Amino acid sequence: MSRIDVCVAACADLFLGAGEILASPMGLIPQLGAKLARLTTEPDLLLSDGEAYLLGEHGVEGWLPYRKVFDVVAHGRRHVVMGANQLDRFGNQNISAIGDHDKPTRQLLGFRGAPGNTVNHRTSYWVPKHSRRVFVPRVDVVSGVGHDRGFHHAYRVVTNLCVLDFETPDGSMRLVSTHPGVTVDEVLDNTGFPLDIGETATTREPSRQELELIDKLDPDHARD
Ligand code: F8G
């Protein structure tokens, strides 16, 4: 078992108890996590191909054209796992631009679905390289809305080092668990703001059955 399998299982756990909602995992690791959840704890999870179809174990099982996604977003029965170029202590996310707004040094993806997602339904983040470049004191542009800016459903952040949530009185980020072999200091050293560290656990390792499923879902080990 490798670290990335722990990350996939942690992404699967994002959907624990979700029931019949639309899962929108952006990127390979969140996708493997959502598929693993569907095969284990959450058989009613709906998985979109990101274009027009809902996918089941045996192929297409429903039609969800792009415009319909907005209805689901507004209705709230969705959990998106987005990426983040920058993320701050209250879960403000930036995928739009780096640097001064009038003269950015990098133009990134834009706002995309981030504002609507974060005000309408549960949102988590996957950060493949936990670093001070991503975990910043202040994001350059707010794409996804954080807990200090109003109504918002940031749930968890899964990184290559740990799992974080926002279960603190002021909705700021808290360390939930470090992955096996990772120290709390390693997380703090790579985070550009103070973290609530409370009673930090170790992220669970996937079971043998889950490891077999992950191998089936990703036989070529693209996850590595
Ligand atoms: C930086 C930093 C940084 C990057 N600091 N520099 C530099 C300094 C880096 C590179 C350069 C480029 C509902 C919905 C939608 C929809 C609908 C429906 C969504 C509304 C669907 C379609 C739509 C949003 C989904 C995601 C994003 C997933 C990732 C990426 C990434 C990396 C964002 C993390 N901090 N960072 N630089 N989308 N993608 O040195 O410099 O900038 O950097 O939900 O869409 O529209 O809405 O991004 O960046 O969740 O997670 O992987 O662009 O690849 O290439 O690293 O090399 O050029 O010099 P990236 P990268 P250089 S929901």
Side-chain angles (χ1 to χ4, degrees):
M1 188 204 49
S2 64
R3 171 84 59 82
I4 202 67
D5 295 323
V6 173
C7 296
V8 170
C11 285
D13 287 351
L14 294 174
F15 297 100
L16 261 183
E20 193 178 1
I21 63 158
L22 177 64
S24 298
M26 306 290 168
L28 178 66
I29 305 307
Q31 276 168 28
L32 289 172
K35 287 178 182 170
L36 180 64
R38 181 176 158 128
L39 290 170
T40 55
T41 57
E42 297 301 319
D44 295 332
L45 214 53
L46 301 173
L47 294 171
S48 153
D49 68 350
E51 288 181 25
Y53 296 105
L54 292 170
L55 297 180
E57 223 181 314
H58 307 291
V60 173
E61 64 173 21
W63 189 53
L64 190 76
Y66 195 80
R67 65 177 182 276
K68 278 276 172 203
V69 173
F70 292 98
D71 295 343
V72 181
V73 169
H75 189 256
R77 291 184 63 82
R78 180 171 183 254
H79 183 169
V80 67
V81 185
M82 293 194 285
N85 291 95
Q86 293 178 326
L87 206 54
D88 76 12
R89 190 168 165 235
F90 291 97
N92 294 288
Q93 168 234 33
N94 175 16
I95 49 170
S96 298
I98 299 294
D100 181 62
H101 192 253
D102 290 332
K103 203 176 178 188
T105 54
R106 290 291 182 282
Q107 174 67 57
L108 303 168
L109 292 173
F111 291 86
R112 319 307 299 184
N117 291 344
T118 49
V119 299
N120 280 298
H121 57 65
R122 189 173 266 198
T123 298
S124 293
Y125 296 100
W126 158 243
V127 176
K129 191 174 178 195
H130 191 134
S131 69
R132 284 174 182 257
R133 193 175 97 150
V134 177
F135 290 90
V136 291
R138 193 181 154 85
V139 298
D140 294 342
V141 180
V142 177
S143 317
V145 185
H147 285 285
D148 56 343
R149 290 172 191 269
F151 190 58
H152 169 63
H153 304 257
Y155 177 54
R156 285 189 166 190
V157 184
V158 178
T159 81
N160 61 320
L161 300 181
C162 65
V163 179
L164 305 136
D165 71 10
F166 300 89
E167 298 290 319
T168 51
D170 61 353
S172 61
M173 216 183 270
R174 177 182 77 152
L175 185 58
V176 175
S177 64
T178 55
H179 301 336
V182 177
T183 62
V184 171
D185 281 345
E186 200 177 341
V187 173
L188 294 177
D189 286 349
N190 287 289
T191 305
F193 49 79
L195 269 183
D196 187 316
I197 49 174
E199 283 180 31
T200 302
T202 302
T203 315
R204 75 173 181 94
E205 296 185 8
S207 66
R208 182 183 294 266
Q209 183 219 1
E210 286 179 304
L211 288 171
E212 284 171 11
L213 288 170
I214 295 170
D215 272 338
K216 270 195 196 147
L217 290 168
D218 179 30
D220 298 329
H221 280 253
R223 63 193 181 281
D224 292 333

